[in-house]
């Protein structure tokens, strides 16, 4: 009864357009009050304690820092230079520019940790370049939106930081390592339909006549940007710094490259960069803190257990249950943003994970892949929203192209569902 | 361009009039970078870790979050589902927008009361922080203050929407 009112209040408020964090907080507080109607102030003291304890955590510091890294590299001019180098490497021809967009989004994914920041950085360069080569704007927007979705899989990833803070036993380095191969797999899964669609529809014929940039000169230009993921991931792997410290090192490196090397960031831009990053991370952090109240209610009221029982008695078995959850999550991902999905579903699903003895790291990767698919599946797709705005097309126009990319990404995710080693081999051999 | 289904990523527009919260959030962010970087440098130069900075960094993290939340509230940038907010008659849209803002303002007022009580308990029972051994209310007292600021900023958007 209390469980139902918790979700009912949350859903009604959320659909009415109340901020998601506030909806979670109110739902959680009402449930606490109903369950403790006979105690002083309805037991609501638990609410501020849980709110504070959820955000006052040292490992969470990685979140604002990786948001800041994204804001800096967005403006540092590395995306343009990586694109030039990638064109020099793969050559010219139909389907080559979409492939470049996806490859650059993947490398940038190794620097920043958020999909929309990545879509903005890649879209800023690629959408105009693809238009000049004769690709339709709706196709370019689809490619950029989908390519940026690999960002939350390829380490470092803000989604993994959030998951790791919520789930004991899934450390940040283990999650980062586990996302590597699924991220690359997802990138390949996008490249194949991108090239195939371009060839079938004769897109990018104008590309063939355009000059190919010189290889070594463009490699030298791009090397500052290409060194960043090596620094971040290598530094963490070598034990030089923690994930948070790696992010801060990347902040200073990005500022150096943007201010001294490529000269795209001026002193007067610094306030705006820090202000914007602080606001974006606060928007995520406040939902996180208020979801702490919601999660406390879910856990103390035992709301998640009936779900686990229902799954156990449904006779689906481990794989069947996982496929069912995966489908539900993709559908939910079309309507809700990724971090909110984590905050709502992780506390609900943990009993199911324990029931089937699923590896929490592997489960986190699958959850993230489902969220990544939602990031570019209309109607509510954060990355696609960014790239559509840049390409000046409506989201409806992207449907004929983007659905192919969605289908292919789903196949890649199903491979990780069926072959857990794709995610788990790397963290195990690195000893996390 | 159709109405966005939900705003999930604050595309924060540069503002000419920066509020005090903007400055606190931006400077908090910068301080977090400098402290963490110093930590790395000191560790490599002296083989000593200045772990006590952890507690201060966590405090800055909370401060930046609360200040940034107020900044985002004033710009109406918080994550929400906008499907119903942007459909239907103008009167209904306006009612929903006012309802959402009123609920949000009330919620942060309630949070100010509850976190205020938490900070008061820290003060009354002389709770000591685990890392630096300073009074815990030095950290927690800022949370109700900023909750009030957030409620006030939301209230300002209500006045703006009524016009």
């Amino acid at each position: 009864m209390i469980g139902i009112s918790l979700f009912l209040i949350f859903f009604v408020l959320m659909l009415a357009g109340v901020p998601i964090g506030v909806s979670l907080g109110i739902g959680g507080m009402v449930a606490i009050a109903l369950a403790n109607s006979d105690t002083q102030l309805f037991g609501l003291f638990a609410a501020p304690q849980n709110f504070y304890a959820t955000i006052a955590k040292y490992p969470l510091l990685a979140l604002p820092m990786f948001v800041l890294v994204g804001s800096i590299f967005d403006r540092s001019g590395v995306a343009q230079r990586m694109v030039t180098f990638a064109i020099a490497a793969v050559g010219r021809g139909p389907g080559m520019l979409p492939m470049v967009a996806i490859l650059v989004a993947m490398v940038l994914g190794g620097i920043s940790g958020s999909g929309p920041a990545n879509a903005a950085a890649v879209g800023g360069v690629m959408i105009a370049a693809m238009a000049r080569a004769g690709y339709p704007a709706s196709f370019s927007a689809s490619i950029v939106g989908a390519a940026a979705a690999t960002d939350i899989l390829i380490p470092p990833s803000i989604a993994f930081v959030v998951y790791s803070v919520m789930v004991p036993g899934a450390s940040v380095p283990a999650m980062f390592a586990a996302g590597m191969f699924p991220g690359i797999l997802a990138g390949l899964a996008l490249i194949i339909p991108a090239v195939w669609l371009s060839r079938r529809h004769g897109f990018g014929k104008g590309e063939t006549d355009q000059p190919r940039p010189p290889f070594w000169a463009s490699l030298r230009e791009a090397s500052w940007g290409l060194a960043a993921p090596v620094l971040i991931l290598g530094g963490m792997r070598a034990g030089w710094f923690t994930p948070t410290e790696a992010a801060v090192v990347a902040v200073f490196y990005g500022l150096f490259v943007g201010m001294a090397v490529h000269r795209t960031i001026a002193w007067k831009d610094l306030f705006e960069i820090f202000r914007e990053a602080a606001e974006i991370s606060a928007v995520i952090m406040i939902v996180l803190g208020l979801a702490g109240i919601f999660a406390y209610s879910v856990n103390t009221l035992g709301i998640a257990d009936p779900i686990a029982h229902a799954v156990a008695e449904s006779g689906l078995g481990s794989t069947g249950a996982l496929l069912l959850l995966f489908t539900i999550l993709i559908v939910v991902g079309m309507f809700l943003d990724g971090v909110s999905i984590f905050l709502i579903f992780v506390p609900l699903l943990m009993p199911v994970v324990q029931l089937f003895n699923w590896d929490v790291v592997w489960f986190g990767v699958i959850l993230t892949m489902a969220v990544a698919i939602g990031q570019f599946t209309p109607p509510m797709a954060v990355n696609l929203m960014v790239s559509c705005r840049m390409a000046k097309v409506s989201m409806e126009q992207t449907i004929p192209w983007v659905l192919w990319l969605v289908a292919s990404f789903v196949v890649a995710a199903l491979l990780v569902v069926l072959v857990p080693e794709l995610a788990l081999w790397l963290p195990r051999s690195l000893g996390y | 361009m159709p109405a966005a289904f939900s705003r999930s990523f604050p595309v924060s527009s540069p503002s000419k009039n920066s509020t005090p919260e903007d400055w606190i959030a931006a400077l908090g962010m910068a301080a977090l970078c400098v402290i963490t970087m110093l930590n790395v440098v000191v560790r490599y130069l002296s083989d000593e870790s200045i772990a006590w900075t952890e507690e201060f960094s966590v405090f800055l993290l909370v401060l930046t979050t609360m200040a940034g939340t107020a900044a985002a509230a004033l710009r109406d940038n918080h994550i929400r589902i906008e499907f119903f907010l942007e459909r239907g008659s103008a009167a209904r849209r306006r009612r929903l927008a006012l309802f959402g803002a009123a609920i949000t303002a009330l919620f942060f007022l309630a949070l100010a009361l509850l976190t205020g009580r938490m900070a008061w308990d820290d003060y009354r029972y002389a709770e000591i922080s685990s890392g630096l051994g300073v009074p815990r209310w030095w950290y927690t007292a800022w949370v109700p203050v900023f909750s009030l600021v957030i409620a006030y900023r939301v209230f300002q958007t209500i006045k703006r929407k009524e016009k």
Side-chain angles (χ1 to χ4, degrees):
Chain A
M1 184 51 219
I2 295 173
I4 292 170
S5 50
L6 172 86
F7 280 96
L8 203 65
I9 291 168
F10 163 61
F11 275 117
V12 169
L13 289 178
M14 184 174 74
L15 289 178
V18 175
I20 287 177
V22 175
S23 311
L24 284 165
I26 293 178
M29 282 213 236
V30 170
I32 294 173
L34 288 176
N36 302 288
S37 51
D38 45 355
T39 49
Q40 192 203 5
L41 247 172
F42 307 108
L44 280 177
F45 289 133
Q49 297 286 359
N50 276 287
F51 168 71
Y52 189 78
T54 310
I55 54 174
K57 271 190 194 135
Y58 192 70
L60 257 188
L61 188 53
L63 192 149
M65 292 302 116
F66 277 118
V67 171
L68 182 59
V69 172
S71 287
I72 290 170
F73 274 88
D74 207 5
R75 293 174 175 82
S76 66
V78 298
Q80 171 69 60
R81 288 165 178 85
M82 282 187 197
V83 166
T84 311
F85 169 63
I87 293 172
V90 303
R92 291 288 195 178
M96 288 298 127
L97 275 183
M99 192 203 276
V100 164
I102 295 163
L103 289 173
V104 171
M106 288 166 71
V107 178
L108 279 179
I111 304 173
S112 93
S114 96
N118 189 321
V122 178
V125 183
M126 287 311 294
I127 284 173
M130 287 172 76
R132 280 195 298 276
Y135 294 90
S138 55
F139 178 74
S140 312
S142 310
I143 295 290
V144 170
T150 58
D151 192 310
I152 61 168
L153 284 165
I154 293 177
S157 148
I158 289 172
F160 286 155
V161 174
V162 171
Y163 182 81
S164 152
V165 169
M166 297 181 76
V167 180
S171 74
V172 174
M175 289 309 299
F176 279 7
M180 197 74 210
F181 285 120
I184 294 172
L185 187 68
L188 287 177
L190 294 176
I191 289 175
I192 294 165
V195 173
W196 175 70
L197 283 170
S198 306
R199 299 228 162 138
R200 201 176 73 150
H201 295 278
F203 295 156
K205 286 219 177 84
E207 209 193 307
T208 322
D209 314 324
Q210 290 180 2
R212 186 170 173 172
F215 184 85
W216 293 109
S218 49
L219 173 62
R220 200 172 55 236
E221 276 282 297
S223 57
W224 288 100
L226 292 173
V230 179
L231 178 74
I232 296 173
L233 301 177
M236 262 189 277
R237 172 67 199 116
W240 295 342
F241 11 82
T242 63
T244 308
E245 289 169 356
V248 174
V249 169
V251 163
F252 283 96
Y253 179 77
L255 285 177
F256 170 73
V257 172
M259 296 177 80
V261 183
H262 299 334
R263 294 182 185 277
T264 49
I265 300 175
W267 282 102
K268 64 174 167 45
D269 302 328
L270 285 184
F271 172 72
E272 188 51 35
I273 290 177
F274 278 83
R275 189 201 68 73
E276 182 200 81
E279 186 179 320
I280 293 172
S281 72
V283 164
I284 303 172
M285 292 277 296
I286 196 76
V287 182
L288 200 75
L290 297 175
I293 303 175
F294 185 83
Y296 169 81
S297 313
V298 168
N299 292 333
T300 53
L301 302 177
I303 294 166
D305 296 332
I307 298 178
H309 284 303
V311 173
E313 282 161 18
S314 64
L316 280 168
S318 175
T319 312
L322 196 60
L323 289 177
L324 176 72
L325 285 184
F326 187 69
T327 315
I328 294 173
L329 285 168
I330 292 178
V331 174
V332 176
M334 288 157 62
F335 299 95
L336 258 183
D337 71 288
V339 174
S340 305
I341 293 180
F342 273 49
L343 298 173
I344 297 163
F345 281 90
V346 168
L348 286 178
L349 295 182
M350 270 307 130
V352 183
V353 173
Q354 281 154 7
L355 176 75
F356 289 114
N357 232 341
W358 290 332
D359 188 294
V360 286
V361 172
W362 173 61
F363 185 72
V365 172
I366 290 168
L367 198 62
T368 309
M369 288 192 101
V371 166
I373 292 167
Q375 283 193 335
F376 66 98
T377 312
M380 200 249 101
V382 272
N383 294 349
L384 201 55
M385 219 180 279
V386 172
S387 62
C388 282
R389 199 177 304 142
M390 296 180 115
K392 299 190 177 65
V393 292
S394 75
M395 209 177 270
E396 282 87 345
Q397 289 171 278
T398 63
I399 288 176
W401 316 119
V402 86
L403 288 187
W404 289 102
L405 303 170
V406 170
S408 182
F409 205 118
V410 168
V411 171
L414 286 179
L415 271 177
V416 181
V417 170
L418 299 174
V419 189
E421 281 300 290
L422 283 170
L424 295 178
W425 177 80
L426 189 62
R428 194 179 52 238
S429 34
L430 291 177
Y432 293 134
Chain B
M1 186 78 200
F5 194 84
S6 145
R7 177 183 295 146
S8 289
F9 188 72
V11 187
S12 104
S13 42
S15 62
K16 285 170 203 95
N17 326 312
S18 300
T19 58
E21 302 94 274
D22 284 333
W23 280 97
I24 294 172
L27 290 176
M29 207 67 174
L32 281 170
C33 292
V34 171
I35 292 172
T36 312
M37 195 67 201
L38 280 179
N39 241 324
V40 178
V41 173
V42 167
R43 192 174 64 223
Y44 278 91
L45 290 185
S46 68
D47 270 336
E48 271 171 52
S49 127
I50 38 175
W52 58 268
T53 58
E54 244 185 51
E55 189 173 296
F56 190 66
S57 293
V58 168
F59 161 67
L60 282 178
L61 176 66
V62 174
L63 193 75
T64 308
T65 299
M66 296 304 283
T69 302
L74 189 61
R75 293 188 184 87
D76 227 348
N77 265 348
H78 279 288
I79 303 179
R80 67 172 60 151
I81 289 191
E82 291 183 331
F83 188 82
F84 293 104
L85 274 182
E86 297 190 340
R87 278 166 182 77
S89 66
R92 198 189 79 175
R93 289 202 302 256
R94 191 165 155 270
R95 269 204 306 278
L96 269 184
L98 288 176
F99 170 76
I103 288 272
T104 308
L106 283 175
F107 176 78
F108 278 101
L109 278 179
L111 193 69
L113 280 176
L114 289 168
T115 51
R117 173 64 194 264
M118 175 178 80
W120 170 243
D121 279 350
D122 285 344
Y123 175 78
R124 209 166 33 150
Y125 301 120
E127 297 283 350
I128 296 294
S129 74
S130 53
L132 294 176
V134 298
R136 208 176 97 103
W137 67 267
W138 289 8
Y139 301 133
T140 48
W142 296 98
V143 181
V145 173
F146 274 99
S147 300
L148 284 178
V149 175
I150 297 166
Y152 174 68
R153 292 305 187 195
V154 177
F155 181 70
Q156 279 184 309
T157 66
I158 296 180
K159 286 207 291 194
R160 206 165 59 203
K161 279 169 191 157
E162 276 184 335
K163 278 178 190 159

